[in-house]
Amino acid sequence: MKKNIILCGFYLLASLWAPAKDCPSRLQPNLRPIGASPLSWGVEIRSNFFNLDGDNYWYYGLTAALTSETDSLSIYALGEYKEKKYSECQYPEDISPLKLKLLSFDWKIGRLTLSGGRQEVTAGQGLVLDDFFDGLRIAYANDALRLEAGALVLARSVAREAFSCQACFFHEYTSSWKNLKQSSWGDDKLLYADLAWKTSALSLGMLYLKSFARDDLFDFQQLGVHGRVRLPLELNLQFEASGQRFDHGGGLAFGHSFELGRRFKAGTIGAFTLQLKHLYGSASGNTLFTPLYGNASLGERMHYSVRQGSTWGSRIQFQPDLLKRMEIELHYYQNGAGWLANPISHEWDAGLHYALDRNKRYQFFIGYSRTRGATGVINQVAAEIRIVP
């Protein structure tokens, strides 16, 4: 049976229903069955190293998962210990490195699936809905349609981008625009409904979301569309666009995320993947596009997220035929207040992934980043090892 534990928030690889974010973890497909029972378990060990303009930092992590799956009922549990260290930064005291990220069930009744507990919920590209919640969801699916609705409370302790620091590492970056530093469980609640339709060449969906905040000044509604289209020249387009209306004052804001890509073979040399990406959020006076529950992002470790302004990203990936377990990537990013003119910062990245075994249970990554912005030039080297014993 397929193991569908969700391990990361933020992946670049896409499914038909919910384009998710790429993560080098291989815990999910390498869970170990416990005898003839429906139970499976697994652990993943990780180690990270950073050199940020001459200063060295290390941190470590351990993830453990336990699942029980039958034809009608699946139960998931996933806990994580991940030490976080930041340069010149203290994260809020209530943020613990030990997190219960999943404790949920899926109960299948024909074409209906009822899900409950702590879970990661994603719709579209995650522009306005992609985070960890406690709550209930119900979904109906057939070959072409999927309708999903839910009532959720933000899982404050594990919600991404909840830290208060702006001077963080590029890799594993977490920004503070969500302003969740002082929030508690129950302060951020929402109802949502997502309707998606697909064919072999097209998927198209509509998402509605209503947020209920502790401070009613931040109550809002969002309505958006998302999809994936196969274009001529073997191009693939993924997109999401959303309008946001704040209940107090009736201000309107708009944001979007798109990714245009193509993969092709170059004879016996290897395979190339080319991608162009863009994130945008509007700003008009005090009305800012603020997708509180979204995590659409760019970057090897998701260090550019939706903000007020424009972020362009490009990526070239090469997988040589002689070393299919190796991937080489080059990235370029540009941040600015406008679409193209007067960028605030530029970044160039180079990275290498290598899997030591066929199942990718032992993986190594090393990357270099160079950013030029208003404060000058910042250089960073990052390395990561992930092991699923």
Side-chain angles (χ1 to χ4, degrees):
M1 289 179 287
K2 182 180 178 180
K3 309 297 182 186
N4 55 1
I5 294 178
I6 303 173
L7 298 176
C8 304
F10 295 42
Y11 328 169
L12 296 173
L13 299 179
S15 69
L16 282 173
W17 297 116
K21 303 179 182 71
D22 179 62
C23 177
S25 171
R26 293 292 291 176
L27 179 58
Q28 172 185 339
N30 286 292
L31 295 178
R32 301 176 181 274
I34 300 177
S37 75
L39 295 172
S40 300
W41 70 278
V43 296
E44 180 184 59
I45 305 167
R46 60 181 293 182
S47 175
N48 289 77
F49 165 76
F50 299 97
N51 180 282
L52 185 63
D53 274 349
D55 294 324
N56 297 325
Y57 303 88
W58 292 87
Y59 72 79
Y60 308 91
L62 175 67
T63 302
L66 178 67
T67 73
S68 174
E69 291 189 300
T70 66
D71 291 340
S72 60
L73 180 64
S74 300
I75 300 173
Y76 312 105
L78 187 145
E80 178 183 80
Y81 177 88
K82 185 165 67 172
E83 185 182 9
K84 285 197 173 284
K85 294 180 180 178
Y86 298 93
S87 60
E88 302 176 1
C89 171
Q90 295 295 321
Y91 52 80
E93 294 179 357
D94 61 335
I95 295 294
S96 169
L98 184 62
K99 296 180 178 67
L100 179 64
K101 300 184 72 173
L102 286 177
L103 186 59
S104 63
F105 69 87
D106 287 347
W107 181 25
K108 297 179 181 179
I109 311 168
R111 293 185 179 273
L112 290 174
T113 302
L114 178 66
S115 303
R118 175 157 298 178
Q119 54 201 297
E120 187 181 24
V121 182
T122 301
Q125 287 188 279
L127 178 69
V128 299
L129 184 57
D130 176 20
D131 222 318
F132 290 90
F133 300 90
D134 298 321
L136 289 172
R137 297 185 294 146
I138 188 167
Y140 169 84
N142 59 28
D143 293 339
L145 289 173
R146 178 181 174 88
L147 175 61
E148 181 177 309
L152 306 170
V153 178
L154 186 69
R156 169 66 177 85
S157 61
V158 294
R160 290 189 293 266
E161 297 188 350
F163 299 93
S164 63
C165 172
Q166 288 287 2
C168 303
F169 294 129
F170 297 162
H171 297 260
E172 297 288 352
Y173 182 93
T174 53
S175 61
S176 66
W177 59 262
K178 285 193 172 183
N179 196 27
L180 297 173
K181 182 178 179 181
Q182 303 299 329
S183 67
S184 301
W185 192 92
D187 288 348
D188 302 285
K189 303 180 286 291
L190 73 148
L191 300 173
Y192 81 96
D194 185 45
L195 175 64
W197 168 76
K198 67 172 183 176
T199 68
S200 59
L202 169 70
S203 67
L204 185 64
M206 178 175 292
L207 172 66
Y208 171 78
L209 184 153
K210 176 66 176 80
S211 176
F212 304 89
R214 173 182 58 177
D215 186 341
D216 59 11
L217 288 175
F218 299 100
D219 287 350
F220 62 84
Q221 300 181 65
Q222 287 191 245
L223 181 64
V225 295
H226 56 83
R228 187 178 71 173
V229 185
R230 292 184 186 175
L231 300 174
L233 303 178
E234 299 182 16
L235 293 170
N236 289 296
L237 173 66
Q238 299 178 62
F239 65 90
E240 183 169 0
S242 180
Q244 183 179 46
R245 179 185 183 276
F246 290 89
D247 295 355
H248 181 84
L252 295 173
F254 171 79
H256 73 240
S257 169
F258 80 75
E259 177 183 305
L260 183 66
R262 185 180 188 273
R263 180 177 172 86
F264 62 92
K265 285 280 293 180
T268 58
I269 298 175
F272 287 86
T273 300
L274 306 178
Q275 290 178 320
L276 176 66
K277 312 171 190 180
H278 188 243
L279 296 176
Y280 174 76
S282 69
S284 178
N286 292 325
T287 303
L288 309 175
F289 182 69
T290 309
L292 178 63
Y293 308 112
N295 280 296
S297 53
L298 306 180
E300 175 59 33
R301 291 296 184 270
M302 305 184 300
H303 50 282
Y304 292 111
S305 55
V306 180
R307 49 182 285 278
Q308 288 76 51
S310 170
T311 303
W312 289 91
S314 58
R315 171 176 174 256
I316 302 174
Q317 181 192 71
F318 172 59
Q319 184 178 46
D321 279 351
L322 293 178
L323 289 170
K324 291 186 178 296
R325 297 176 190 169
M326 183 174 72
E327 295 176 351
I328 300 171
E329 296 189 353
L330 299 174
H331 301 252
Y332 170 73
Y333 304 102
Q334 176 180 298
N335 259 311
W339 282 70
L340 290 172
N342 302 318
I344 298 171
S345 67
H346 303 268
E347 179 179 333
W348 297 265
D349 292 357
L352 182 147
H353 291 266
Y354 188 73
L356 300 179
D357 67 314
R358 182 177 299 178
N359 293 329
K360 299 183 179 180
R361 292 169 55 188
Y362 305 91
Q363 295 194 70
F364 174 74
F365 164 79
I366 186 168
Y368 168 74
S369 301
R370 180 180 177 86
T371 295
R372 181 182 296 275
T375 59
V377 176
I378 302 173
N379 295 283
Q380 180 189 251
V381 175
E384 178 183 67
I385 297 174
R386 288 181 179 261
I387 300 172
V388 180

